[in-house]
Amino acid sequence: MYNEEVINEFQNLQNVGFIENHNAYGKIGNAACGDIMEMTMYINPETEIIEQVAFRTFGCAAAQATSSRATTLVKGKTVQEALELTNKAVVDSLGGLPAQKIHCSVLAEEAIKACIENYLDRKAGKVSNENEKPKMV
Amino acid sequence: MERIYLDHGATTGVAKEVLEKMMPYFSEVFGNGSSQHFFGREALEAIDNARESIAKNLNCRSTEIYFVSGGSEADNMAIKGYALAHKDKGNHIITSKIEHPAVLETCRKLEKYGFEVTYLDVDKEGFVSPKDFEAAIKDTTILASIMMVNNEIGAIEPIKELAAIAKAHGVVFHTDAVQAVGNIPVDVKDLGVDMLSLSAHKFYGPKGVGVLYKKNGVKIQRFLDGGEQERNLRASTLNTPGIVGCAAALDLAIAHMEENNKKTQEVRDYFVKRVQELIPNIYYNGPKDPSKRIPGNSDFSFIGIEGEGILFHLDLHGIAVSSGSACSSGSLDPSHVLLAIGIPMAVAHGSIRFSFGKENTIEQAEYTVKVLEQTVKQLRAMSPIYEELLEELKKNV
Ligand SMILES: Cc1ncc(COP(=O)(O)O)c(C=O)c1O
């Protein structure tokens, strides 16, 4: 059901983990639905370039592969460029996903958006810069 | 890489001896069992012999055996066929929350036709309570359908007791024995059931062939309209090779049941013990007493990780299993069976069924445990909810 590219990504996940000194944090999904994606980034405040990015996922093989691929696609990009990343671009970059798995890739796009919104909120002084403790959603 | 098949609950391969018996009925003895010439008579003879043999093995008459296309059809034929033929007598049906979709969806369809269905709860190990069952029977109850063995957690339901209660109240009793036949002894007289479904591919027979046992005198509506095959209840030219294979597979399974079960259970029990030793924070789903579950079945939930992720890691290591996670089925809800036995939603997503068969070995079980231990560690390390889920669950104990 998964193509070779997806299986390869799943076997060699990139950027797994949690960035301790992050300044952007996003978490999307719901454990009851079986999919949670958490993303942390360090974004250079001067250049607004995403210098570090890491993810942790509770989810199926497609969820893992798309979060991994999404992180590699935004790493080194500016905040503005990252906001333009669509789930379709992630799926295309993996050579496609089975139809019933497309919703997993939406989660990757949403996690990136949530992460960057969090960064922008911090910049605007709307949220504290303390490291979030991952919370059950 | 060695390939290890631990998904015998899904299906099994046709046994060599069975395939050999089937072979002549494809191209040589190809007649239509309903034809009057000798091509047809030859086919009919093979079908009659198969019918006799299956009847003997189930302890019933050959006129009580109906050949169908599989377990799903047998369930549909029994439940819809009986309900529709008796709707003037009452409109209430009793089943359980843990049935296979072949029964659950059939009952849901009947609800649309105006039937009322009670879906009985089960206890934490997956057992239907005979007390609850009796309490659910009312004046309008015409039919009950409770599975003999659950396909996810292997629980062996108290069918004999339930069928006796049904009989005492004049309720006709059907059991989906798809996971039972070939794995544990099944004697329809001893069980006291009115109808029973089985499927050949679960016991090293071919796919696409099954049997509905229907006690003589129990009236059902014709299921497949057309020709007069199967005593005018199920049209379509009989599947001679499949039927011959079904009978041969059942014969073989029953002849070797004791030795196969002893070996399978030994491997399964070893696996369960090792998983519990090596992997923390898991649920062993279903009956804890090995005698109350079929010999090959085991089912675990791994807290904090998702089942399909586990499945594909095992797959990449050559190990084939099934997952109860939503993401394997394309729906959003995890296994209805695990939810019915009280496994929390988030945990149910991380469930895997390992179903063993006669050809599995202790070495394969040990290899699987080792790969599984690594996989679970790796996935938990990247899970954003493992720690908090653990805390959450501890609070709720
Ligand atoms: C309990 C149970 N009932 C019914 C079925 C359906 O059988 P079949 O695949 O032969 O239609 C299965 C197997 O998938 C099963 O496990």
Side-chain angles (χ1 to χ4, degrees), chain B residues 105-151:
Chain B
E105 291 302 315
T106 298
C107 287
R108 290 205 183 105
K109 178 66 71 63
L110 286 173
E111 283 184 282
K112 288 195 186 130
Y113 295 162
F115 286 87
E116 182 200 348
V117 181
T118 299
Y119 300 89
L120 292 173
D121 285 322
V122 294
D123 68 15
K124 284 199 154 22
E125 295 200 318
F127 295 115
V128 171
S129 140
K131 264 210 195 82
D132 291 355
F133 178 69
E134 185 153 33
I137 297 176
K138 36 188 194 179
D139 292 346
T140 52
T141 311
I142 52 172
L143 173 68
S145 177
I146 306 287
M147 70 201 318
M148 187 159 178
V149 171
N150 179 268
N151 47 305

Side-chain angles (χ1 to χ4, degrees), chain B residues 139-269:
Chain B
D139 292 346
T140 52
T141 311
I142 52 172
L143 173 68
S145 177
I146 306 287
M147 70 201 318
M148 187 159 178
V149 171
N150 179 268
N151 47 305
E152 290 186 34
I153 54 175
I156 304 172
E157 300 294 337
I159 294 303
K160 192 171 174 174
E161 205 176 331
L162 297 172
I165 293 168
K167 189 170 186 184
H169 290 270
V171 171
V172 158
F173 193 92
H174 165 255
T175 187
D176 174 342
V178 168
Q179 294 283 342
V181 173
N183 282 321
I184 54 173
V186 174
D187 173 328
V188 294
K189 287 250 167 51
D190 178 58
L191 288 172
V193 296
D194 298 298
M195 294 188 281
L196 176 145
S197 307
L198 66 85
S199 183
H201 72 94
K202 305 287 186 183
F203 49 87
Y204 303 91
K207 289 159 190 59
V209 55
V211 165
L212 174 65
Y213 155 78
K214 181 183 76 60
K215 198 160 86 183
N216 284 337
V218 173
K219 293 263 172 315
I220 66 170
Q221 222 181 54
R222 179 159 77 175
F223 187 64
L224 201 51
D225 294 321
E228 294 184 0
Q229 289 90 351
E230 297 307 86
R231 278 133 288 147
N232 209 12
L233 288 181
R234 201 263 185 193
S236 188
T237 300
L238 288 164
N239 170 8
T240 317
I243 288 166
V244 167
C246 179
L250 186 58
D251 241 4
L252 196 67
I254 289 175
H256 299 283
M257 190 176 284
E258 217 166 301
E259 55 187 280
N260 286 346
N261 283 359
K262 189 163 169 282
K263 181 162 174 269
T264 306
Q265 184 165 339
E266 204 175 285
V267 177
R268 189 269 316 268
D269 290 350

Side-chain angles (χ1 to χ4, degrees), chain A residues 5-92:
Chain A
E5 184 79 17
V6 176
I7 292 173
N8 200 27
E9 187 78 18
F10 173 68
Q11 276 184 285
N12 303 288
L13 295 174
Q14 306 293 309
N15 305 312
V16 175
F18 185 86
I19 295 165
E20 292 297 340
N21 68 333
H22 65 269
N23 58 1
Y25 178 90
K27 188 169 172 186
I28 286 291
N30 187 320
C33 299
D35 261 329
I36 295 188
M37 213 169 278
E38 176 198 69
M39 217 165 266
T40 46
M41 293 179 180
Y42 177 76
I43 299 170
N44 185 325
E46 309 274 297
T47 58
E48 301 230 307
I49 282 176
I50 299 166
E51 292 187 348
Q52 296 174 51
V53 54
F55 80 95
R56 297 195 298 181
T57 289
F58 166 83
C60 64
Q64 293 180 32
T66 50
S67 21
S68 166
R69 181 56 61 95
T71 59
T72 61
L73 289 174
V74 299
K75 195 167 177 177
K77 298 276 163 58
T78 66
V79 162
Q80 210 45 50
E81 286 167 333
L83 278 174
E84 281 161 22
L85 181 78
T86 60
N87 74 300
K88 183 167 179 311
V90 178
V91 174
D92 288 349

